[in-house]
């Protein structure tokens, strides 16, 4: 695939697990990172996307909205889905993102959960369950695709 370059990402041990593999890859404008299916990966994902979008010169508001989406989608994958088998046999989720001058697209792929991801109504007393409602409010578009053993949730943040 011609235009692929490796972006070095420091692997950080957390309780014996690696948060992220040794590299995130870049093909044309799209970036991909294999993240451990662990809560600490949410922070790693946010830093990867934030640093890349800053380098691309996107407006602060777009970056902030994209980081809200990354937080919710990676967090949901880690909390509610089965991990995918990673290159080193550990459980992972896959984060992909791409940006143009007018939008950022974020995809998170995992092994699926007991239910298809969806916005669920939440009462004021609920302490959770608002993630996809937040994504829906921030993103100009979002959706879910799945095959037999993978589910991808995507969202688009527009400038």
């Amino acid at each position: 695939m011609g235009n692929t370059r490796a972006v070095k990402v420091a692997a950080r041990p957390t309780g014996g697990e690696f948060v992220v593999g040794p590299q995130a890859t870049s093909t044309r404008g799209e970036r991909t990172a294999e993240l451990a299916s662990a809560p600490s990966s949410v922070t790693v994902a946010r830093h990867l996307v934030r640093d890349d979008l800053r380098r691309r010169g996107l407006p602060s508001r777009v970056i902030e909205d994209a980081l809200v989406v990354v937080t919710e989608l990676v967090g949901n994958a880690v909390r509610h889905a089965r991990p995918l088998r990673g290159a080193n046999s550990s459980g992972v989720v896959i984060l992909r993102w791409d940006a143009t001058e007018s939008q950022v697209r974020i995809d998170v792929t995992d092994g699926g959960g007991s239910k298809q991801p969806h916005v669920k109504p939440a009462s004021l007393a609920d302490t959770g369950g608002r993630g996809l409602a937040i994504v829906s409010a921030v993103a100009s578009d979002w959706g879910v695709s799945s095959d037999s053993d993978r589910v991808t949730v995507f969202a688009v943040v527009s400038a």
Side-chain angles (χ1 to χ4, degrees):
M1 293 227 147
N3 194 7
T4 300
R5 76 181 170 88
V7 178
K8 292 290 182 188
V9 177
R12 298 183 216 168
T14 58
E17 297 178 350
F18 282 96
V19 173
V20 66
Q23 312 180 0
T25 58
S26 171
T27 305
R28 299 180 197 239
E30 181 178 281
R31 308 307 196 249
T32 303
E34 210 175 75
L35 303 165
S37 184
S40 55
S41 289
V42 175
T43 302
V44 172
R46 285 177 57 86
H47 288 220
L48 287 170
V49 173
R50 181 201 62 207
D51 294 348
D52 179 61
L53 297 182
R54 281 183 180 165
R55 276 192 299 275
R56 294 183 195 219
L58 271 71
S60 294
R61 184 198 59 82
V62 174
I63 294 172
E64 290 166 12
D65 287 351
L67 295 179
V68 168
V69 169
V70 167
T71 299
E72 295 302 334
L73 296 186
V74 174
N76 283 349
V78 167
R79 278 190 300 281
H80 303 297
R82 289 181 301 278
L84 297 168
R85 175 145 329 269
N88 62 1
S89 299
S90 63
V92 300
V93 297
I94 298 170
L95 168 66
R96 278 182 300 281
W97 70 98
D98 195 2
T100 66
E101 292 175 4
S102 61
Q103 68 181 25
V104 177
R105 180 182 169 110
I106 300 151
D107 295 4
V108 176
T109 302
D110 56 47
S114 60
K115 297 179 183 175
Q116 184 83 342
H118 64 284
V119 174
K120 68 179 192 178
S123 75
L124 291 175
D126 290 341
T127 59
R130 293 183 177 87
L132 287 178
I134 292 169
V135 169
S136 181
V138 170
S140 57
D141 188 23
W142 77 278
V144 179
S145 64
S146 59
D147 61 26
S148 61
D149 61 345
R150 289 179 172 232
V151 172
T152 299
V153 180
F154 77 88
V156 177
V157 174
S158 296

